[in-house]
Amino acid sequence: MRVKRKSVHINVLELRAIGLALKLRLRSAERRDGLKSLRVLHLTDSQVCLSILAKGRTKTVRLLPSLRRISARL
C-alpha cells in the first residue's frame, strides 16, 4: 500500500534549506570561536528566497514560519 505524501512548494523547501544551512554554520562557528563576529555568504539560485531574505518580509503564509526561524537566528 502506498502512502500519499503531502506536497510542499519548492520555495518553502528552498527557504527551509537555507535555514538549515544557516543553523549548521552558526553551530560550528559557535563551537570554534564563540560567535564574536561572523559574516556568512550563502549562495542560492532562488530569486524568491533571496528577495524574502533581503527584505525580511513576505505575504506568503507558507513561507512565513521559515522566515521567522531564520530571522530569530540572525
Side-chain angles (χ1 to χ4, degrees), residues 6-21 44 46-50 52-53 58-70:
K6 186 177 178 183
S7 63
V8 181
H9 198 272
I10 187 68
N11 292 333
V12 175
L13 295 174
E14 289 269 357
L15 199 56
R16 283 183 192 168
I18 292 170
L20 181 61
T44 180
S46 173
Q47 184 64 41
V48 172
C49 292
L50 182 65
I52 288 171
L53 291 171
T58 181
K59 288 183 179 179
T60 309
V61 178
R62 292 180 184 171
L63 294 172
L64 200 53
S66 296
L67 177 63
R68 285 183 178 158
R69 276 188 225 102
I70 292 171

